[in-house]
Amino acid sequence: MAPHQTRLRARYAETDQMGVVHHAVYLVWLEAARVEYCRAAGFDYGAMEREDGIGIAVVETHCRYVYPTRFDDEVVIETRLEAASPRLVRFAYQLRRAADDRLLATAETKHIFCNRDMRPVRLPPKYWSLFGIPRGAGLPTP
Amino acid sequence: MAPHQTRLRARYAETDQMGVVHHAVYLVWLEAARVEYCRAAGFDYGAMEREDGIGIAVVETHCRYVYPTRFDDEVVIETRLEAASPRLVRFAYQLRRAADDRLLATAETKHIFCNRDMRPVRLPPKYWSLFGIPRGAGLPTP
Amino acid sequence: MAPHQTRLRARYAETDQMGVVHHAVYLVWLEAARVEYCRAAGFDYGAMEREDGIGIAVVETHCRYVYPTRFDDEVVIETRLEAASPRLVRFAYQLRRAADDRLLATAETKHIFCNRDMRPVRLPPKYWSLFGIPRGAGLPTP
Amino acid sequence: MAPHQTRLRARYAETDQMGVVHHAVYLVWLEAARVEYCRAAGFDYGAMEREDGIGIAVVETHCRYVYPTRFDDEVVIETRLEAASPRLVRFAYQLRRAADDRLLATAETKHIFCNRDMRPVRLPPKYWSLFGIPRGAGLPTP
């Protein structure tokens, strides 16, 4: 799927006493952007968790904070699927201020599929196409 | 049980751009204080949820903010069980700044016991004494 | 101003292990709804804080949780200005699930105007009309 | 300074519906650990911000999530100053479950010193020794 754009506004509760959005909040925003990415890709994250007992656990986050985000700034998050296999997914993000397209942050996150006990599992094939995983992926080569 | 005191420190992430702890954070602190209250009463909240499938859902919160809490302030939360029945529990709280005993906030919370589907249930009798609920509570009077 | 409606979606980070939105999050949502209320009333909250050094401090919150909100639920918050004077403002809220209009929670919040040192101040008259405060409010009666 | 250990307990509000602590919370914990590190090093973070108008802005975070943290787990965070100059500081962290020393996560954060307008500044020399910065650091070599 092409990169997907999500918009949100910085909430007052998300600022800290430095007068800018707290750096931990960006991870919450990235997650909101992933959920919207999945929705746009025709993929209901909540349903997969509920019906198939499969969640997507974050195993790595990396974020570079380029310019401070202020209260009430409108932020555009561009989300791109970087890589996907039946075991792993990686996303990359750019956060920009809507008003002037100023780059606020860049980030990457890495995820594994897991069951209700948080153990790694293979993504069922019915979901593969949504992540652009080719049929036969992850099979032992003959 | 007698009122119980919990101590914590205001985190930087808990402040907002007004330079004080954000008001929503107080509810998180009250919850941390309830957990410590329960632990002191010999009651393992996590185990009840895990083993008996019984949670304590918040149905009402009421908080009055008296004086601002600042980053790194040490806060003492006094938690008092106000009322308890097999269906309902009410707690009351006073938050004070440790340095000078200054009153920061007062609050009350009301809770019901619920199962994994978030439906109201009666607390199993084995837990009653921990909440000071007398045997026979909630029975129809003859 | 007439009641104002804000829409938002429950974020994954806002849920807790009971599988529902954590009760402290509702206060964050109420605040987001107040900001949108103010914007719709022609009032820029951030600018007042920045230019006039006047903030709106929360002095009381009261929330009743009627039905659990789940991840990804779309929520409609109806915000109503209950009362306003040059010193105090009160808002009331109803939170409903967008899908079926189910009532999720009701709440009220009380606020005072304060300066950068968090001391109570009177709202400058230029802002009165935005809060529906009549000219002459708060003056000693002859 | 030698590595410093901070202890905290996972709060209920910090869990998500997967039944584990949400990944964004780890960044809040790292910050709490840095504050304790600074306190142990004889350095009052709040005072520097208040008196000298100098803050420490996060410019990069990187976190690997190794094993899920559960509600009420006691967590030990070991914080180590990795590098420091008058412009930049880097910290590294290991998070372990207190009960059995199980590794939960590793992380690094990078920071710059900044003024109240969030512009980069050099750390005043009086603070250098606290960060182990040698006298003469950052000077042009002859």
Side-chain angles (χ1 to χ4, degrees), chain C:
Chain C
M1 199 179 85
H4 178 261
Q5 291 196 340
T6 304
R7 273 163 187 266
L8 49 80
R9 256 185 206 280
R11 296 173 176 177
Y12 201 92
E14 294 172 338
T15 62
D16 64 25
Q17 71 177 45
M18 220 178 264
V20 302
V21 170
H22 189 267
H23 62 278
V25 172
Y26 290 64
L27 298 194
V28 175
W29 289 356
L30 300 182
E31 184 177 64
R34 279 196 302 281
V35 169
E36 293 306 321
Y37 178 98
C38 289
R39 196 190 318 283
F43 168 69
D44 182 341
Y45 183 87
M48 183 171 83
E49 199 173 276
R50 217 161 41 237
E51 292 158 21
D52 295 281
I54 291 178
I56 305 183
V58 178
V59 292
E60 194 170 341
T61 59
H62 192 175
C63 189
R64 283 159 302 273
Y65 306 86
V66 178
Y67 194 80
T69 308
R70 305 263 173 193
F71 164 58
D72 217 30
D73 278 355
E74 199 179 6
V75 178
V76 179
I77 307 176
E78 185 173 286
T79 306
R80 208 170 60 243
L81 184 65
E82 279 278 274
S85 80
R87 297 210 174 272
L88 266 175
V89 183
R90 282 195 299 120
F91 287 97
Y93 314 81
Q94 286 201 337
L95 291 83
R96 293 179 181 278
R97 187 162 63 184
D100 58 2
D101 211 41
R102 179 150 204 166
L103 185 67
L104 301 170
T106 61
E108 300 93 45
T109 60
K110 199 165 113 183
H111 310 260
I112 56 166
F113 301 104
C114 64
N115 63 16
R116 290 205 172 91
D117 300 323
M118 294 293 289
R119 299 207 172 279
V121 295
R122 283 170 62 88
L123 184 70
K126 66 174 169 174
Y127 292 115
W128 288 14
S129 64
L130 300 172
F131 286 104
I133 304 171
R135 300 216 302 163
L139 291 182
T141 44

Side-chain angles (χ1 to χ4, degrees), chain B residues 119-141:
Chain B
R119 299 206 173 278
V121 295
R122 283 170 62 88
L123 184 70
K126 66 173 169 175
Y127 291 115
W128 288 14
S129 65
L130 300 172
F131 287 104
I133 305 171
R135 301 215 302 163
L139 292 182
T141 43

